[in-house]
Amino acid sequence: MTIKPVRKAVFPVAGLGTRFLPATKAMPKEMLTVVDKPLIQYAVEEALEAGIEQIIFVTGRNKSAIEDHFDIAYELEDTMRARGKSLAAIDGIRMEPGSPVYIRQQEPLGLGHAVWCAREIVGDEPFAVLLPDELMVGGCLRQMVDAYARVGGNIVAALEVPAEETHKYGVIAPGAEDGRLVGIEALVEKPAQGSAPSNLMIPGRYILQPEVMRILDAKQTGAGGEIQLTDAMAQLIGKQPFHGFRFTGDRHDCGDKAGYIQANLALALARDDLAPQVRDFARALLA
Ligand code: G1P
């Protein structure tokens, strides 16, 4: 089996972000900041650190702030230079000319449909998918790419959550364990409360083979009447290697208000320039 490298990553960013209204009325939810960086930048940096060469955004109307964020900001840079200010804070955002690629989903038909919209750009090679409202600390995709180099096929990140939370996610029916890898017997999107096959959910990081696009061609709908990526992946089980991967590091669900606040606190407390102040006022608030 030759294992083709993962060079491309798809970022579905067309979602309306209704859970964060009014913040997301005129601003993409992916531009919500954790400390001083938008969510989308954390995910893009995670991908680049994992060796991804091509960034593909599946976007929609009202998302132009994302395009501007990954472009050169001439006026800003000129003004900062003229004032003798360091450009270090925005240096990392610069992309190669012609990258990222932006395509539009047009209609919100589900995560599977968003990924399928990238089929022509992905072509006939494996690709990663990163959901930017899941903020990973510790290089989740890097770890998955390393595991992929050994086993190939399809790999999804896997994380234990309390049983009361499984109905919000894609859930794995786990098979044999092999270190951090776990076999997958079945996948269920948003199982009804009490019916999940396990507590092992998929926190938005995927390495997939291009065949999943052929399954998504059928535009079959599932949970919530949407075209679900989880359902398309489920059809690959038994046909291609398919593993869950228990990554190390922290995960913050920034699609959820409490998770988003937790991310801000945790990342602020991890920074030398902010931690003392934040610790002090958190203590005072709780007292
Ligand atoms: C999506 C996926 C789900 C996954 C989750 C991670 O759900 O469909 O399988 O577990 O992201 O956050 P959504 O959050 O879009 O409802």
Side-chain angles (χ1 to χ4, degrees):
M1 174 181 66
T2 50
I3 298 177
K4 280 196 200 173
V6 187
R7 300 189 309 116
K8 303 182 179 183
V10 176
F11 296 75
V13 294
L16 295 174
T18 50
R19 268 181 273 181
F20 274 88
L21 285 169
T24 49
K25 188 177 173 205
M27 182 185 79
K29 66 170 173 171
E30 295 78 14
M31 291 299 292
L32 286 169
T33 50
V34 172
V35 184
D36 53 9
K37 219 192 267 185
L39 281 172
I40 187 65
Q41 194 180 337
Y42 287 96
V44 167
E45 287 176 356
E46 182 189 338
L48 296 176
E49 279 159 19
I52 295 298
E53 294 165 16
Q54 187 171 47
I55 303 292
I56 305 163
F57 289 122
V58 181
T59 171
R61 290 173 290 284
N62 297 323
K63 297 284 182 167
S64 56
I66 298 177
E67 300 184 27
D68 292 338
H69 188 72
F70 291 100
D71 201 348
I72 296 174
Y74 282 107
E75 301 87 340
L76 179 66
E77 292 189 13
D78 279 355
T79 310
M80 287 174 79
R81 252 185 237 107
R83 292 182 185 167
K85 293 207 166 129
S86 158
L87 296 184
I90 53 173
D91 268 354
I93 311 169
R94 212 182 292 268
M95 295 272 164
E96 292 290 315
S99 179
V101 175
Y102 296 91
I103 45 189
R104 286 210 177 194
Q105 190 186 3
Q106 281 109 354
E107 288 177 279
L109 299 180
L111 177 60
H113 179 258
V115 169
W116 178 79
C117 288
R119 66 201 178 283
E120 295 295 338
I121 316 287
V122 164
D124 190 28
E125 44 179 300
F127 62 103
V129 177
L130 295 94
L131 308 188
D133 53 12
E134 297 274 1
L135 197 167
M136 297 293 191
V137 180
C140 179
L141 190 66
R142 165 86 270 162
Q143 298 169 41
M144 289 170 64
V145 165
D146 289 346
Y148 170 80
R150 288 188 285 119
V151 297
N154 304 274
I155 303 184
V156 294
L159 180 71
E160 300 275 354
V161 295
E164 318 81 76
E165 291 182 20
T166 49
H167 69 281
K168 297 193 284 184
Y169 300 113
V171 180
I172 298 170
E177 304 271 345
D178 170 17
R180 298 204 155 270
L181 287 167
V182 52
I184 295 185
E185 310 270 298
L187 293 168
V188 193
E189 180 66 18
K190 300 193 174 65
Q193 297 259 20
S195 76
S198 78
N199 287 8
L200 204 57
M201 58 73 98
I202 307 172
R205 295 294 181 276
Y206 312 79
I207 292 175
L208 298 172
Q209 295 301 314
E211 285 74 18
V212 77
M213 296 293 193
R214 301 292 72 77
I215 296 171
L216 288 165
D217 283 339
K219 300 201 180 73
Q220 230 171 306
T221 54
E226 297 189 343
I227 301 168
Q228 297 290 356
L229 181 60
T230 305
D231 296 342
M233 294 189 307
Q235 291 189 45
L236 289 174
I237 299 168
K239 300 194 180 108
Q240 293 185 339
F242 213 129
H243 293 92
F245 180 80
R246 298 177 193 266
F247 60 99
T248 55
D250 294 329
R251 166 258 183 180
H252 302 286
D253 182 359
C254 294
D256 172 79
K257 282 172 207 170
Y260 174 68
I261 291 164
Q262 184 199 61
N264 270 286
L265 269 177
L267 271 69
L269 288 171
R271 274 182 41 169
D272 295 341
D273 59 334
L274 293 171
Q277 258 174 297
V278 174
R279 199 174 293 115
D280 283 354
F281 78 62
R283 269 208 200 97
L285 276 174
L286 291 169

